[in-house]
Amino acid sequence: MHLFIICHALLWQWFFTVKVTGVATEKPTSTNTDQSVLHIEFVTTGFFGFNSHEPVSLGYNATAITTGLPRLRALYHQVISLTYNAPAIITGVQRLRDLYPQHWWTSTFLTDPHSRTCPLMLANVYFMLSQWYYSRENTGRLSIIVTPGSKKGAFHSSASEPAIRNRQLSPTWLSTTPFASPNVVFCSLLNNLNWRTVVASLDTDSDAHIAYYTYAFNRVVGKLTECSVKFSASSLAYSDGLLVSKLLGEFHQKTRVFLYFGLPSGLRILLIAAVARNMTNGDYVYLAVVPWSSSSFGYFTWQSYQDDDEKVKEAYRSVLLLSLVDETQYGSPSIRNLAQKWANISQCEYNNTEPPNYLPIPLMTATQTAVEMAGIAAMEALARSTGLSNGDNGQMLADSIRNRTYPNLQTGLWRMSGGGEMLHIVQLASFDWQEGQLKVFMKGTEIDCTDIYIWERTSTTSESIWHGGSALPPALPLCGLDGDACSSGRPWVVLATGSSSAVLVTLAGTISLFVQMTIIRQRRRLWWILELQSFIPGTAKEISIYGFQY
C-alpha cells in the first residue's frame, strides 16, 4: 500500500487515509429496522507520551483527503503525540456518534513501543499499518488510516509542498492547518499599511522555539522582495547588548518599522535598548509575531516583576503583535468545553501530567475538525447514493468539502477554499496603556485563491490605538530619515532680511508651511486606507498618498 510520508524538523504531521475495501453495510442485530448501517473506523498510528527530541508543542495540524490508489482515501495531518492527538479524535468520533447515531463510529490507535522518535516511526509505520491491514477481522468498514511523518532539516507545513497542493497530482488533498502562512500574511499586511521599507531580525536566543521563529523569519524574508518590500535582515543573539544597540542604530538609518522574530524575552531586551536611544516615542514600530499566545511560545507582556517593568510598559506602546490565528475562535464556550474534555482525557487516559494550559488547543481543534469533516462528507455521500461502492471515491468526497463553509461544527465556523485549504483569519493587536495589555484592533480575512487578506478594524476598537492616536506611523518619516526634507531647499521658506516686506514674506511662507504640514498630519490619520481596486490581483499599483510615494 502506497503511503504519502513527509518528514519535518520539529514538526509532526499525520496523514489520515480513508480506504474503502469492499464496503458493505452491516445490519444491527438489536432492532428490526431495515436501515443499512455503515461502520466508520478511525485508525491512528503514533505513540503515547512525549518525544524528548522533538517538542510537540511546535507541531502543526492539517487535514487532507487523498487518493493515490483506485480506492477511497483521506489524508489528515495531526500533532505527533497521541497524548495530544487521541483526545481530539475521541471527541470528534463522539460528535459523529451524536450526529449520526444510526451508524457505527470507532477509533483504533496503533502504537509501537520501539517507535518513539521520528526516524523510528518512519521506519516502522509501513510494518505497523501492514500488520493491522492484513489482520483485520472485518474488511467491510470504511477505514480512516493515520500515518505520521517527520524529517530533519526542513521546517514547513505540508501546505507549502508544491506537489501536495497540486490538484492534478493530489486531487483529494485537503488541509485544516490552523495557522496562516506567515510570509503571505506579512506581505499582505505590510502592503496594506504601505510599509514598503522594513528591518527584519531573528533572535537566536529563542531556545527550542527557535525552530518556529527561524521558519517564520526565513519564509517572510524570502517573500518580501516578491511583494515589493525593501528590507534588511539579520540574525543575532539578543543577549548581547552591544549587538542589539548596533542593530537599533542601523534600524534608525533605514526605516521606522522593525519586524521581530523571537520570544517575548528578546523583545523586552530590544525595547529597553530602544528606550535608551529615545526610539519608543511613537515614530518607531516593533512588530512581533506569534502562532498563538500560549505557554509554548510565551506571552508578550511588559510585566515580568522586575525593576524596569514600568519602563518596558511605556515602551510597549510602540509594539504590535501579529497572531496567525483568530484567537477569539479558541476562546468560544464550545472550544473551552472541548478543551476541558481534552485535558481530562489526556490526563486520565494517557497520563499527561502537563498543566491544561500546555495543550495545543488550535492543533487539537483542527484534529477534531478533520474528523468531523470526514464523517460529514461520508454521510452526505451515503445519503446521495444510498451506499458507498468500491472504487475511487476520494475525489468526490474532497470536492464536496472544498469551497465550502461549515458554520455548525462543534469546533466552530470553518471555511474551506476551492483549493481544499482552510481560509484563515489573523489578528493584529496594539498596546492599551490604560489596561496594560495588547488588544486586537484589526483582523485580516484570507481571500480564496489569492495571497491577499482583507484587513478591517474591529468594531470594538477605540479610536486610540497608537500613542493616543488612531493612526500608525509611516515606514519612512514624512520629512525623511534625517528630517532635512521639511527644513532645507524649500521655495516657500524665505529668510527675513530686516525689512517689513521681507518679514511679511517670511511670515506668509511660514504660515504656508504650517498650513501644509497641518494638512499632511491630518491626512496621515487615514494614510493606511487603500482603494478597493488595490485588492484585485493584477491591478494593484504603487499608490501615491497626498503627494508621497509609498
Side-chain angles (χ1 to χ4, degrees):
M1 175 170 56
H2 173 73
L3 295 177
F4 193 97
I5 297 183
I6 303 177
C7 296
H8 302 289
L10 300 181
L11 176 64
W12 278 94
Q13 300 186 335
W14 298 85
F15 302 91
F16 289 65
T17 302
V18 176
K19 184 179 181 62
V20 175
T21 54
V23 172
T25 57
E26 301 177 8
K27 299 285 187 177
T29 58
S30 58
T31 67
N32 294 324
T33 179
D34 291 330
Q35 183 181 16
S36 297
V37 174
L38 185 65
H39 187 163
I40 302 94
E41 177 186 26
F42 289 82
V43 181
T44 310
T45 61
F47 58 82
F48 291 100
F50 308 98
N51 184 347
S52 60
H53 302 290
E54 301 189 41
V56 294
S57 61
L58 296 182
Y60 273 26
N61 262 16
T63 301
I65 296 180
T66 187
T67 173
L69 296 172
R71 301 293 185 187
L72 179 66
R73 298 175 47 184
L75 186 65
Y76 299 133
H77 319 285
Q78 312 298 334
V79 67
I80 176 58
S81 176
L82 292 179
T83 305
Y84 289 144
N85 194 52
I89 292 178
I90 290 173
T91 55
V93 169
Q94 184 57 54
R95 172 65 169 172
L96 294 174
R97 288 174 183 156
D98 295 338
L99 291 175
Y100 310 104
Q102 68 274 29
H103 299 287
W104 295 355
W105 304 90
T106 59
S107 59
T108 301
F109 302 108
L110 307 179
T111 63
D112 178 1
H114 303 293
S115 302
R116 297 179 62 82
T117 65
C118 174
L120 291 177
M121 180 62 67
L122 178 60
N124 292 332
V125 67
Y126 287 102
F127 171 75
M128 295 168 61
L129 286 173
S130 297
Q131 186 180 47
W132 164 80
Y133 182 79
Y134 289 109
S135 62
R136 291 172 303 157
E137 295 182 358
N138 190 328
T139 60
R141 299 175 181 176
L142 182 90
S143 296
I144 305 178
I145 306 171
V146 187
T147 63
S150 167
K151 182 178 183 180
K152 305 291 183 182
F155 188 98
H156 49 263
S157 77
S158 66
S160 65
E161 291 290 336
I164 202 170
R165 296 184 70 183
N166 187 323
R167 291 186 62 183
Q168 298 298 320
L169 300 176
S170 305
T172 61
W173 178 82
L174 302 170
S175 171
T176 59
T177 300
F179 306 115
S181 298
N183 51 320
V184 176
V185 176
F186 267 92
C187 270
S188 179
L189 177 63
L190 295 176
N191 277 284
N192 177 270
L193 297 175
N194 287 308
W195 286 344
R196 303 296 180 88
T197 305
V198 302
V199 163
S201 182
L202 170 68
D203 178 15
T204 58
D205 281 333
S206 294
D207 301 325
H209 301 279
I210 189 65
Y212 172 77
Y213 289 112
T214 300
Y215 154 75
F217 173 77
N218 290 334
R219 292 293 302 279
V220 171
V221 168
K223 181 77 171 179
L224 289 180
T225 300
E226 181 181 328
C227 56
S228 303
V229 175
K230 298 179 181 179
F231 70 95
S232 62
S234 63
S235 301
L236 65 145
Y238 275 51
S239 56
D240 190 327
L242 292 178
L243 289 179
V244 172
S245 181
K246 180 181 178 181
L247 175 63
L248 285 173
E250 296 172 353
F251 167 47
H252 172 76
Q253 296 172 6
K254 296 177 180 178
T255 179
R256 295 296 181 261
V257 176
F258 191 106
L259 310 183
Y260 170 77
F261 297 84
L263 291 173
S265 55
L267 180 64
R268 183 183 184 91
I269 294 172
L270 178 68
L271 292 176
I272 292 175
V275 169
R277 300 178 66 100
N278 193 30
M279 295 176 66
T280 57
N281 57 9
D283 293 333
Y284 302 82
V285 178
Y286 302 91
L287 173 58
V289 62
V290 68
W292 85 97
S293 296
S294 66
S295 56
S296 299
F297 298 98
Y299 297 99
F300 283 84
T301 177
W302 57 273
Q303 196 167 27
S304 295
Y305 303 99
Q306 300 180 32
D307 294 339
D308 53 8
D309 271 359
E310 289 301 320
K311 179 191 298 185
V312 177
K313 179 181 180 181
E314 184 66 25
Y316 249 82
R317 299 178 70 184
S318 297
V319 171
L320 296 178
L321 181 62
L322 176 65
S323 297
L324 297 181
V325 298
D326 180 7
E327 297 196 21
T328 57
Q329 174 184 357
Y330 301 102
S332 67
S334 177
I335 296 298
R336 288 200 302 268
N337 182 53
L338 283 170
Q340 185 60 57
K341 292 181 179 179
W342 294 332
N344 292 340
I345 296 172
S346 184
Q347 180 180 15
C348 298
E349 300 294 332
Y350 307 121
N351 197 31
N352 182 10
T353 59
E354 290 185 331
N357 64 325
Y358 274 70
L359 291 178
I361 299 302
L363 310 179
M364 300 176 79
T365 300
T367 301
Q368 171 155 339
T369 299
V371 174
E372 287 192 59
M373 285 183 178
I376 291 172
M379 292 299 97
E380 290 177 344
L382 186 65
R384 288 193 300 267
S385 61
T386 67
L388 288 175
S389 60
N390 292 329
D392 185 5
N393 294 312
Q395 184 170 349
M396 176 267 293
L397 288 185
D399 289 342
S400 70
I401 295 175
R402 287 193 181 98
N403 195 28
R404 176 175 175 180
T405 297
Y406 290 83
N408 299 316
L409 298 181
Q410 193 173 16
T411 53
L413 183 148
W414 288 67
R415 299 180 305 132
M416 297 298 292
S417 72
E421 299 179 63
M422 174 190 170
L423 292 172
H424 303 91
I425 297 177
V426 298
Q427 62 184 42
L428 187 66
S430 63
F431 190 69
D432 187 315
W433 192 87
Q434 297 295 331
E435 296 190 17
Q437 61 181 342
L438 291 159
K439 295 180 64 176
V440 176
F441 73 93
M442 190 160 66
K443 291 188 177 183
T445 302
E446 188 175 10
I447 304 303
D448 195 3
C449 299
T450 70
D451 282 346
I452 295 174
Y453 282 73
I454 297 296
W455 297 89
E456 296 179 313
R457 294 284 186 104
T458 59
S459 59
T460 58
T461 301
S462 64
E463 284 298 313
S464 178
I465 63 167
W466 190 257
H467 289 263
S470 61
L472 298 172
L476 298 176
L478 295 178
C479 293
L481 291 170
D482 54 10
D484 290 344
C486 296
S487 60
S488 62
R490 295 307 187 195
W492 58 73
V493 178
V494 181
L495 298 178
T497 62
S499 66
S500 59
S501 60
V503 171
L504 290 176
V505 171
T506 301
L507 180 60
T510 303
I511 293 174
S512 174
L513 174 62
F514 174 78
V515 170
Q516 291 187 47
M517 292 307 297
T518 299
I519 293 174
I520 289 173
R521 291 192 189 98
Q522 292 298 320
R523 288 176 173 175
R524 275 183 60 193
R525 296 171 63 86
L526 299 176
W527 68 274
W528 48 270
I529 293 180
L530 297 179
E531 297 180 0
L532 179 61
Q533 59 264 32
S534 66
F535 294 110
I536 302 175
T539 64
K541 301 178 180 178
E542 189 173 60
I543 298 172
S544 176
I545 305 274
Y546 311 127
F548 295 90
Q549 293 294 325
Y550 292 86

